[in-house]
Amino acid sequence: MQKDKRCSWGLRIGLLGIFLFALANVTQAQTRITVSGTVTDKDTGEPLPAVNIGVKGTARGTTTNFDGEYSLTVDENAVLVFSFISFRTVEMPIEGRTNIDVAMEPIQIVGEDIVVVGYGTQSKEDVTGSVGSVDMDNIEKLPGNNLGDMLQGQVAGVSIRPGSGEPGAAPNVVIRGVGTIGDNDPLYIIDGVPGDISQVNTDNIESINVLKDAASAAIYGSRASNGVVIVETKRGSVGGSSISFNAYTGVQSLANKIDLANRSEYDLISQQMFSNAGSPPLGYTTGGNYADTDWQNEFFEPGFEQKYNLSIAGGTEELTYMISGGFFDQDGITINTDHQAVNLRVNSDYTKGKLKIGESFSYVRSNTKNLTGAAYDGGYGTIYQVMDMLPHTPVHNANNEGGYAGPQHSDMPKSNNPVATQMLTTNQSQTDFMQASVYAEYSILDNLTYELQLGTNVGNRYLDYFVPTYFTSSIYKREISYLEQNRSRDTETTLNTLLRYENYYKKHDFKLMAGYSQERGLYKSSNAAIDDLPSNEIRALSAGTGSASVSGGVYENTMRSQFGRVNYSYDNKYLFTGNIRRDGSSRFAESNRYGVFPSASVGWKITEENFFPDNAVMNEMKLRASWGKLGNQSIGDYQFIPTVSSGSNYINYVFGADQNIFTGGIITNFASSDIKWETTTSQNIGLDLAFLEDRILFTAEYFRNETTDMLVNVPIPATSGSSVGPLTNGGSMETEGLEFMARYRKGEGDFVYGIRANVSTSRNKVTQLGFKDEAFTGGFLEYGTHPTTRTVVGGEIARFYLYKTDGLFQNTQEVNEHSGNGGLLQPNAEPGDIRFKDTNGDGVLDEDDKVYMGSATPDFEFGVTFDANYKQFDFSLFLQGMYGNKMYNGTKFLTHRTDRNTNFAARLVNAWTPQNSGSNIPRNISGDPNGNARPSDRFLEDASYLRIQNVQVGYSLPNKWLDNYGVQKFRLYVSFQNLVTFTKYSGYDPSLSNFSLFRRGVDSGLYPLATKSMIGIQAKF
Amino acid sequence: MKPIKYLFLLSVVVVLFAGCDDDFLVQTNMNELNQELYWQDEGDVLQAITATYSQLQADDRWAWFEYHYVAQSYRSDLIRATRKDLPYAQRIANFTYSSDNISFGALWEDYYNGIFYANQVIENVPGMEGMDQAKKDEFVGEAKFLRGYYYLTLVTLFKNIPLVTTIPETSDDYYAAQVAPETIWTQIIEDFKEAKNTLPSSWSADFEGRATKWTAQGYLGKAYMFLERFSEAADEFEDVITQGPYDLLNTFTHNFDGSYENGVESLFEIQHTAARPNGFTESTPMYNEQAPGAMGGWEEFFPSDWLFNLMLTDTSAAGDLSGRALGTVFFDHPQSSADGVTYSSIKNELGVEKVFFKKYLYSNDISDGTLSRSGMNIHLMRYADVLLMHAEALNETDKTAQAIPFVNQVRARSGSAPIASGMNKSQLRDHLRNVERPLEFAMEYGIRWFDLARWNKDSNFSIKQTLTNHAKPDAANFQEGKHEIYPIPLSEMNKNDKLTQNPNY
C-alpha cells in the first residue's frame, strides 16, 4: 500500500504557525506582581485546599494547595475571584498587595463549577457548547451497579431506556433523540480513554458530563455524532488519607404480574373458541387429572441484592492515590439468574516539579447466570414461554429425567417447560475487563504543557453453555447433551498526545490545544461446541463424543486523528470556541478514508456587561450558540471490501454416496465500496440564567441536527439475487428538540432542600432513504411476520403502522354493511369479530388501510429530584417518566390471539358473545378467520408513565458521637427503587425498550424491571 | 525566551505529527475471501456450483420445511393442514393467505438467490483460464439446469415474474421487471436443452446427486408437459426410459428409507446428511413434521380424507392393500407401522389426529439422537414419475394403448392390480389425474400442485372443481382467477416499483 503523500502537511504547518504566533505574543504588557496568601474556612478557621482563584475578566487562575496556600502572578490592579464548592464566592481587588488572605463563608449550594470536556476541563461559566453535567449527589443515592441505568432522568436530552431487567443488562442510551438509522450509541470516554461504562464501579465515579452538541463533542470527531459521555473516576487529593466504606443490601421482586388464565378459565375460553368454530372441544379442556400451575409464580421469584465498597484515598503534594475494591451481587427476579461483579481500582498521580505522571487502573470480573433463550431482540424469549405454558401442565415430574414435567396430552401446544429450560440449562458468562492508562504531563513553559496518554482496555469474555440430557415429554426430550464454550478477546489501545498553550493580551484571553491520537481495536473470538457428553456431570469439551463444531473470527480496526481547539474570550464577556478534527478510519476505502469535522461556538455573558446592574437578582445570564459537523463510522469492519461468502449452512450442499458436505462459495452480497463518513451537522442555542447567588438555576436549549450521507442498507428486491442490500450513503434525517433544566436550592439553616427538574423533547424525521420506495418495514413480532412499524421519508423513524379497529360487529347485518365495491370488506367476519377500518375508502381492506399511529418516542420525558436535609436527617425523592410514547404490547398479542392453543389472558372469559354483547373483547374463535389478531391498534398502548424511581431516607450520626472513634461520617439509609409506576400500559413495564431501532417500542417479552427495597450504610474514617 | 526553547518546541511539534504512515489504516479482512481473488480455478467453480445447488435446501432445515415444502405442497388436495395454531401454513392450505405470507416469500427469495448464483457461474466460468472447455461447458450446463429448475418452480407458483439471466452491474439492475410467462418458459426450455447436451450421463461416487444429462432430459420433458407440447415431452421421456440407467425399485418404501439414495429409481433428489462436521447442518426435519406426537413428531400435516380413502382402494387383485398404500399412510390397520413402531402400540397415546403420512418416517439416519436432523434425501423426480408422465404424454397424443403398460409397470411394483387395458383416452387421463399420480406421489415434493397447475391449461379442468370434488378442506375459499397462483411477495412489491401484483391480490 502506498503511503499517502498528502498526509496532513497542511495541518502540520498550520499548527506550527499557531504555536509560533502564540510564542511571539508572550510579551509582558502590564506590570505584574506575584500575590500569595492562605484561604481558610470562616467558620472553622481551617485552611481550604483546592479553592479556585480566578483573575476577574480573564480565564486565568490557580488553586490552593493542601495548606490552603496559593501564589499567582497577575497585573497589579487585577481583581481575584475566590470560589469553592459550598462557599460564597469572594471578589478581592489586589490594589498592589502581595499577600492576601481570605476567609470564605460556607453556604449550602452545590455547584458544578468545572466541567470536563474533551481533552480538558472548562469552567462551567465559560462553556459555549451544550454540556450536561450529572448531579453526583443524585447518582450516589441510586443503588445498583450499572451507570447507564442510573443516568435515566438525570440530564435533559439524555434518554435512557432499560433494554431488559436482566441482571447485568446494558440499557439503551440515546442522546438528543435518534439521529441515524444506524448505530445510535454514544461514545463513552472514561478517564480520557474510550471505554465501556458498564465496567465502571459506580462508587468510583467523580463526575459525569455529557457533550450533547457538535461544538463540545467535535473534538471527538468521527465517533461523537451520537454524543459523548465523559466519566472521570475519583482520584486522591492532597492531605492525609481517609477510608470510606459503603454497603447496602435488599430485596427485589417483580413489580406486577400479567393477567393470565388459570386452568378453569383456559378451559372455558378454549371450549368457547372451538364451539364457535363448530369443532369439538380439545380433550384436555373437558376435564381430566391436570394441574393448575401459575407459571409466573413458578418462574419469577424475589431476589437478593447487595453491594460493598471500600476505598482509601489521600496523598501528599507529590503523590496522591485512590484505591478501591468493591463487590456487587444481584439475583435476578427470575429463577436461576444472577450477576456478580468484583472490582479493583487504583488511581494515582505523582507530581515532581514540571512533570506530572499518573495512572488509572481498573479490573472487573463479573459472573452472570443468563436468562436462557433469545432474550429481547426478536427471538422467542423465555418470558414468552412463561406466557405460553398451559396451567394444566405441572412443573415437576419426579419420574422424568431431570425432574420436570412437559405437556401431558398430544393435543396440547408443544411449549417447553420454561422452568425446566431455565433450571437445567447452564448459561453462564464470565467477563474479565481491565482498563488501564498512564499519562505524563510536562510544563515546557509556564503556559505550555505537553501531555501524553496511553491507554488499553482488555475484555475477555467467556460463555459456558450446557444442556444436559432430560425428558419432559415425548416432544421435549434431550437424549444427547450439548456443551458449548465461547471465548472472545477484545483489545483496544489508545494513544493521545497533546500540546496546550494559554496566554492573554490585554482583554484577550486564549487557550490553544493541538493533539494527535491513534486507536486500534482488535477482536478475536473462538467458539467450540460438542454433542453427547458421557454424563451430565462432565463439562469438558474433550469428553464429548458427538458432532463437534468450532467457529471464530478476527476483526481489527484502526483510527488516526489530528485535532485542535481554540478558546478565546474578550473581556470575559464574549466567548468563542473553535474545534477541528481530521479522522482517518480503516473502515473506509482509501479514497474516502479521511473526514474533517469542524465546529464553532460563541457565548455572551450578559451579566458581565457594564450596563448590567451589579447587585441584580439575576447573577448570571449567558447566551450560547454553536454549529458543527460530526462523523459516524459505526458500521462494522471491512464493509467496503467486496467478499465471497463461503462455508455456511445457507450455501453448503451435500454430494456423494458418502453424503459429504461440500463447501459453497459464492458472492451473496453486492459490494459497498464507495461508502464514506456519515455526517451530522448540529446547531445549538442555549440560555443559562442564575438568580439569587445561584439559588435558582435555569437552562434552556434548542438543537437541530441534520444527518447526511446516512449509511443505509438499501433494501433491494430478492430478484437481484441478494437478500441484503448494499450499504450506501443515501439517507438523511433531521432531529430537533428542546431541553430545559431548572434547579432551586434553599441553602441556609437547619432545613436545607432543593428541587431539580429536567424535561426534554425531540422529534426526528427521515428526509431521504436513498432508494426507490424509500420505506423500511420492521418491528416484526414473529419470525419475519406481524410487522408493526414502518419508516418512510417525511416521517419519524419506526412509527407504528397498523390497521385501525372500529369496534366489534354486533350482528350479521353489520358484517354485511361493512362492504365496498368488491363485496364484503371482511368476508370471514362474523358477529363478535373486530371491524377494521377501510381508511382509504377504496372498498378493499388491505395493507394500504394501515395508518401511522405514533411511535416509541415520547412527546417529552422528564426527571424530577427533590432532596432535603433536616439536621441529621436527609430525604430524597426521584421521579422519572415519559409522556406520549406508545408501546406495541406483544405479550397482549400473545395472550389474546385465538389462532393458537397456548395460554390466554384471563380476561378472554369475558369475550363477546351474543349474550355478552357489551364486551370489547372479540369473540373467542379458533383459527381467528377474521384476523382479529392482525397487527392493529388493538395491541398498541399508551406507555406514558410516571415512576417513583427512588425514595431514600437517611440519618447521619452527629459528629459529637463519632469524633471519639475517629469516624468522620456515618450515615444509615433506607431506599426504595422503582417503587410505584403510574401507567395505563398493561404489559410488564412501560419503560423498557428493544435494542433494534425499528422495534424499540415493541414489547416482545422483555424481562421486566424489579422493584427494590434496600438498607445501607456509608461510613468515612 | 531562549532559542533552545524554540528549538525544543519545534522538535516536539515535529515528533507529534510525524510518522503519518497510512499503512496503519489498512486492515485486511481475514474472515472472508476478497472477490478479486475468486474465479481462479476449478476449486472455486466447484464451490460456486455447490452454492447454486444449496438453494434447493434453504437456510436451515426448518426454513426448508416451513417455506419450501409448505409453499409447494400445502394447497394440494392430498394434504390436510388444518391445525389452527400454525397460521402461516394454515392460511396457505385454506387459501386465505395474503402477500405477506412468509412461506412463499422466503421461497421466492431463496430461488432467486439460486438463480443469481447460477448466473455467476454462467458469466464467470467461460472466461476463466486454465480449465478445459469440456469442463467449463459442464459447469455452465449444470448451472443452467439449476437455473431452469428454479425458474420452473417460480413461474408455476407466481406466473408473472422477472427474468434475470445476468449479474446486476449497476444499482438500476437490481430492479427487474416482470416478463410474460412464455418468455420464462422459453428460457427454461433453452437452459434444460443446453444442460442435456453438456452434462455427463453419470457422476463418480463422490459426486452422486449432481444433475446428469438424464436429469436435465427428465425436466425438459416435464417442462414440455407444462407447455402441453406432449409429443416433444414423450420423445424426451422415451429417451430417458430406453437409453437411461433407470428402473423401478422392487420395494416402494426403499425409495424413502434411505437405502437407495441416488439409486436406480432416482433422477434428482435434494441431498441431505445426518453428519454435522463442524456443526454444519444439511439435514431434514421431515420426520418431526409428519410423525405423531406419540413418536416425538409435531403433527403438522396429514393425508386428506379423500386421499386416505383412495389409498384404501389401492389393492391387489386379491384385495390386499398395496405396498404404496401401506408405505404412504400410517393408520389403524393390522399391518400398519412406521419406523418400526406398530400403529396398535401407540394407538392409545394419540390425540385428535389418527391418520398420518409416513413416507420419510425413518430414524435410521439421524444425527446425535435428534429426529429433526435426518439425513434422508428428498425426491424431486423419480423414475416412476418419468414413466407416468410418459404415459400421460402418450395418452395426450392419442397413444392410449401404448401408455397403459407404463402405468401398470408402476402399479405392479406396489402390488396394485393392473388397470383395465381397454381404457380410453379420457378414462386414462382421468385415472392418471385422480388415481394414479395421487397414489404414487402423495406428499412428495412439489408434484401434486404442479400437476394441478399444468392441467389447469386444459379448459375442461378446474383446480377449484378438483379441490371441491376431493373435499379439500376450505376449498370454498378458493377463488378462480386468483388462487391458481401466489401473489408477488409483499416485500418485493415494496422494494421494486416495476412490479405489478398478480390479479385479484
Side-chain angles (χ1 to χ4, degrees), chain B residues 86-375:
Chain B
L86 297 166
Y88 74 94
Q90 192 215 347
R91 292 199 178 115
I92 294 218
N94 70 11
F95 307 102
T96 58
Y97 50 81
S98 48
S99 62
D100 62 349
N101 190 290
I102 191 163
S103 278
F104 54 76
L107 176 86
W108 170 289
E109 188 173 313
D110 288 339
Y111 278 23
Y112 268 108
N113 284 353
I115 289 164
F116 175 48
Y117 305 162
N119 288 338
Q120 288 182 46
V121 174
I122 293 162
E123 272 192 25
N124 285 302
V125 168
M128 284 173 64
E129 287 166 16
M131 264 170 79
D132 64 63
Q133 195 57 41
K135 197 78 207 165
K136 286 185 188 177
D137 291 347
E138 200 172 277
F139 276 124
V140 169
E142 203 171 4
K144 287 194 171 174
F145 166 73
L146 289 165
R147 183 168 75 180
Y149 176 83
Y150 293 133
Y151 271 124
L152 185 150
T153 309
L154 288 167
V155 76
T156 307
L157 296 179
F158 299 95
K159 192 171 179 183
N160 302 300
I161 60 171
L163 178 66
V164 184
T165 53
T166 54
I167 301 171
E169 300 254 319
T170 69
S171 58
D172 278 349
D173 298 343
Y174 298 150
Y175 305 91
Q178 286 148 308
V179 296
E182 296 74 26
T183 313
I184 304 281
W185 281 110
T186 306
Q187 185 68 45
I188 293 169
I189 299 285
E190 202 176 290
D191 281 348
F192 285 154
K193 274 187 180 164
E194 182 167 339
K196 169 186 153 187
N197 293 332
T198 54
L199 283 173
S201 54
S202 70
W203 291 94
S204 67
D206 284 348
F207 289 112
E208 268 180 18
R210 290 173 74 171
T212 62
K213 153 188 180 22
W214 307 112
T215 316
Q217 213 167 349
Y219 276 94
L220 179 58
K222 184 167 177 169
Y224 284 136
M225 295 295 282
F226 275 89
L227 298 173
E228 296 184 309
R229 287 157 68 173
F230 294 111
S231 68
E232 286 161 284
D235 289 348
E236 299 300 333
F237 294 135
E238 189 180 348
D239 205 34
V240 174
I241 292 164
T242 55
Q243 309 295 318
Y246 301 105
D247 201 354
L248 294 174
L249 291 170
N250 291 329
T251 307
F252 179 77
T253 53
H254 282 171
N255 277 301
F256 310 104
D257 65 7
S259 51
Y260 290 88
E261 292 185 338
N262 302 315
V264 70
E265 192 174 333
S266 172
L267 275 83
F268 201 38
E269 301 175 355
I270 301 180
Q271 308 291 310
H272 290 119
T273 178
R276 291 197 299 135
N278 199 19
F280 289 123
T281 299
E282 301 288 333
S283 55
T284 176
M286 256 331 230
Y287 189 107
N288 288 55
E289 309 292 358
Q290 55 182 329
M295 292 170 69
W298 291 12
E299 306 192 4
E300 301 241 327
F301 65 101
F302 311 95
S304 68
D305 294 348
W306 173 77
L307 175 69
F308 178 58
N309 288 325
L310 184 68
M311 285 286 174
L312 297 181
T313 67
D314 191 40
T315 59
S316 67
D320 295 329
L321 214 48
S322 73
R324 61 185 177 187
L326 284 167
T328 304
V329 287
F330 185 41
F331 65 110
D332 197 359
H333 185 276
Q335 281 170 268
S336 190
S337 71
D339 196 25
V341 176
T342 60
Y343 191 86
S344 57
S345 69
I346 57 156
K347 193 175 168 182
N348 293 331
E349 294 170 52
L350 297 175
V352 174
E353 295 295 344
K354 310 293 184 196
V355 179
F356 303 90
F357 275 123
K358 57 159 282 193
K359 259 185 177 167
Y360 290 99
L361 236 175
Y362 297 90
S363 64
N364 51 319
D365 185 20
I366 60 172
S367 62
D368 299 319
T370 310
L371 291 170
S372 68
R373 289 187 175 133
S374 165

Side-chain angles (χ1 to χ4, degrees), chain A residues 179-207:
Chain A
T180 170
I181 60 161
D183 186 355
N184 276 284
D185 288 344
L187 171 68
Y188 297 97
I189 302 287
I190 300 160
D191 291 334
V193 177
D196 179 353
I197 52 161
S198 65
Q199 304 294 345
V200 179
N201 179 358
T202 53
D203 275 353
N204 290 159
I205 293 169
E206 174 69 27
S207 71

Side-chain angles (χ1 to χ4, degrees), chain B residues 13-27:
Chain B
V13 171
V14 169
V15 167
L16 258 180
F17 301 104
C20 221
D21 170 8
D22 260 22
D23 284 354
F24 181 75
L25 295 179
V26 177
Q27 297 296 332

Side-chain angles (χ1 to χ4, degrees), chain A residues 7 12 23 411 448 497 531 547 550 554 558 560 594 644 649-650 656-657 659 665 667 718 721 773 783 899, chain B residues 9 16-17 20-22 24 31 33 38 55 84-85 110 113 120 205 208 261 276 278 281 352 368 492 494:
Chain A
C7 183
R12 292 186 205 186
L23 287 167
D411 293 336
L448 179 67
T497 167
D531 277 288
S547 298
V550 294
V554 191
T558 41
R560 164 171 281 166
Y594 286 94
V644 178
N649 279 334
Y650 191 58
Q659 301 195 327
I667 294 162
D773 190 48
Y783 306 111
D899 56 358
Chain B
L9 204 70
L16 258 180
F17 301 104
C20 221
D21 170 8
D22 260 22
F24 181 75
N31 303 281
L33 196 60
Y38 211 58
Q55 299 308 295
K84 294 192 163 117
D85 55 348
D110 288 339
N113 284 353
Q120 288 182 46
E208 268 180 18
E261 292 185 338
R276 291 197 299 135
N278 199 19
T281 299
V352 174
D368 299 319
E492 293 291 284
N494 282 343

